[in-house]
Amino acid sequence: SVSRAIKPFAEPGRPPDWFSQKHCASQYSELLETTETPKRKRGEKGEVVETVEDVIVRKLTAERVEELKKMIKETQEKYRQLKKDAELIQAGHMDNRLEELCNEIMMWVI
């Protein structure tokens, strides 16, 4: 059921069997094997102990945050470059490269 629920949120380019139950189970099993088991602490009975699942969630969340920061930075750099190119085009400084730029834009669109 989890595999079906997360399928709409997939990145493009994933193979068709990426969200099969078998593949999801093997990925989860691998996460459990590669994650350090938190040490149990002696304490009061009401104390919350961190589980392996908590460690995995924290680790994957941190990784995803870093990925998103990187994507934002790349998008901002691309935006700045496109804005600069647009200003140069409007000023008439890139008339000799207009056909090349048009071809590049067409490649992005397709």
Side-chain angles (χ1 to χ4, degrees):
S1 64
V2 173
S3 63
R4 282 191 301 270
I6 63 173
K7 194 170 188 175
F9 304 105
E11 297 107 11
R14 293 285 186 200
D17 67 337
W18 183 258
F19 292 101
S20 70
Q21 289 180 348
K22 183 178 178 181
H23 193 263
C24 285
S26 68
Q27 286 181 316
Y28 183 69
S29 177
E30 184 179 327
L31 277 173
L32 287 175
E33 290 173 7
T34 59
T35 303
E36 278 188 39
T37 306
K39 305 248 189 291
R40 293 204 174 247
K41 299 176 186 173
R42 290 188 179 191
E44 297 178 22
K45 288 188 177 186
E47 187 177 340
V48 177
V49 178
E50 187 175 52
T51 64
V52 175
E53 290 83 3
D54 294 334
V55 173
I56 291 172
V57 168
R58 191 177 63 246
K59 176 185 169 190
L60 292 178
T61 300
E63 287 176 9
R64 185 63 178 154
V65 166
E66 289 305 313
E67 287 174 8
L68 292 172
K69 284 181 182 178
K70 183 179 175 185
M71 288 173 57
I72 289 170
K73 186 176 180 180
E74 290 170 357
T75 303
Q76 288 173 334
E77 289 173 8
K78 189 170 188 173
Y79 170 78
R80 281 189 215 103
Q81 183 61 45
L82 290 172
K83 187 174 179 180
K84 180 180 169 187
D85 288 348
E87 290 170 357
L88 290 173
I89 290 169
Q90 288 175 343
H93 296 293
M94 298 194 59
D95 289 345
N96 58 339
R97 291 194 54 220
L98 283 180
E99 188 174 334
E100 178 185 337
L101 291 171
C102 186
N103 290 335
E104 284 180 28
I105 292 169
M106 292 306 289
M107 293 300 291
W108 292 337
V109 172
I110 299 173

